[in-house]
Amino acid sequence: KRPPLTGFSIIEMVDEYRGEPETEFVQGLPFNTYLVRQVHAFALQPGQYKVEAAEVSSNVHLIKVDDALNRIPFDEKIVSKSNELDVDVKPLPPDQPENFSGAVGNYEVSMKANLSEIHPGDLVKVVITVKGRGNIPLLIPPIVQWPKEVDTADPVVREEYNKYLSPLEGQKTFEYSFTAPDTGHYLIPAAVFSFFDPSVGKYKISQSDSLDLLVIAGESKSTIGAPEAIPTTTNSNRQMYWFAVVVLAIVSWIAY
């Protein structure tokens, strides 16, 4: 019985619990040890939490010897329980930055565009990456003040992390797409990301470099190299010719 972890966001640290034992020696005697569960648990709210005991039920094979020295095998069911766990989740300090969204850990933010030469009508992708250690699955996009000429939709979100490390280490990317407007300079200010660093007990702010997008006159890359439309013409004589060939083949097959 694996205890429920209510109130926590969970990431399993083991790909598959196969039940394969490892040997551990206790007072010189070998014992089989089994990994029941191992997870990253991120508390969603402050407060007092109790993690229930884990339970393992097993059948122990025993042999009883009676007065006549007869060996009588029998099984005995034993339930082993772990201790319960009390977790005290403290609230975050009150002096939160204006754009703080609950990120806990240590992070750096960067921003880049996919094109170096942009023409009106090109599809521009701006990727914002938050990299570091902490509650990566719970991160939301950093604050960006987009120019009024740039119309972006909700970003495409991707996560990459090493679940075998604790604390969780990796990155989360937010990819924004928009069509390049008319020619000119378009400044995208730095992306700002604030987080609480528990190692020092303080809020920190990381910000990327700004992006200066220069849209120059010219043909959009989406239209360069596109094949010219070939006018379609109908040729009734050719169609009738192939129709007659097909009919002749079918009649010949039936006659055969």
Side-chain angles (χ1 to χ4, degrees):
K1 177 184 176 182
R2 294 172 179 166
L5 296 170
T6 306
F8 293 86
S9 176
I10 302 300
I11 294 180
E12 299 287 344
M13 298 181 66
V14 179
D15 293 325
E16 183 180 359
Y17 297 97
R18 299 180 178 179
E20 297 178 357
E22 295 183 359
T23 302
E24 179 179 343
F25 287 88
V26 179
Q27 296 181 355
L29 298 177
F31 289 85
N32 289 335
T33 63
Y34 298 85
L35 178 62
V36 176
R37 198 180 188 191
Q38 187 174 10
V39 301
H40 295 278
F42 301 102
L44 302 177
Q45 296 290 336
Q48 299 287 336
Y49 296 88
K50 181 180 290 293
V51 180
E52 299 176 4
E55 297 183 7
V56 175
S57 176
S58 56
N59 290 322
V60 182
H61 304 293
L62 301 172
I63 295 177
K64 180 172 64 175
V65 180
D66 60 12
D67 295 338
L69 300 182
N70 295 317
R71 300 169 62 86
I72 304 172
F74 69 99
D75 292 342
E76 182 173 340
K77 183 176 181 180
I78 295 179
V79 176
S80 302
K81 290 186 178 182
S82 72
N83 59 295
E84 294 183 340
L85 186 63
D86 293 320
V87 181
D88 181 15
V89 180
K90 298 179 181 180
L92 293 171
D95 52 338
Q96 299 177 357
E98 182 179 356
N99 58 356
F100 178 72
S101 59
V104 177
N106 193 2
Y107 301 100
E108 293 181 355
V109 61
S110 62
M111 179 170 59
K112 64 180 181 179
N114 67 320
L115 297 177
S116 58
E117 183 178 295
I118 306 174
H119 302 281
D122 282 340
L123 180 64
V124 182
K125 294 183 179 181
V126 173
V127 178
I128 300 175
T129 302
V130 180
K131 183 178 181 180
R133 293 184 174 185
N135 57 345
I136 296 174
L138 303 181
L139 302 183
I140 67 173
I143 301 298
V144 180
Q145 301 295 332
W146 299 98
K148 62 180 181 179
E149 299 87 354
V150 174
D151 185 15
T152 63
D154 291 336
V156 177
V157 182
R158 298 182 179 90
E159 294 178 357
E160 298 178 12
Y161 49 74
N162 188 347
K163 66 180 182 181
Y164 308 108
L165 294 180
S166 181
L168 197 65
E169 180 178 347
Q171 65 181 27
K172 196 166 187 175
T173 60
F174 306 90
E175 182 182 287
Y176 296 87
S177 299
F178 57 89
T179 302
D182 292 334
T183 57
H185 281 274
Y186 296 91
L187 179 64
I188 301 179
V192 179
F193 187 75
S194 61
F195 57 91
F196 178 74
D197 188 348
S199 63
V200 295
K202 294 181 179 179
Y203 291 100
K204 294 183 178 180
I205 296 177
S206 175
Q207 67 178 33
S208 69
D209 294 332
S210 59
L211 281 180
D212 187 5
L213 302 180
L214 174 60
V215 183
I216 59 179
E219 190 176 0
S220 170
K221 291 182 174 59
S222 60
T223 60
I224 295 177
E228 296 182 359
I230 301 176
T232 58
T233 60
T234 59
N235 192 332
S236 58
N237 292 334
R238 179 172 295 180
Q239 293 178 356
M240 291 300 297
Y241 169 78
W242 285 113
F243 178 76
V245 171
V246 173
V247 171
L248 180 61
I250 294 175
V251 172
S252 299
W253 180 79
I254 295 175
Y256 175 78

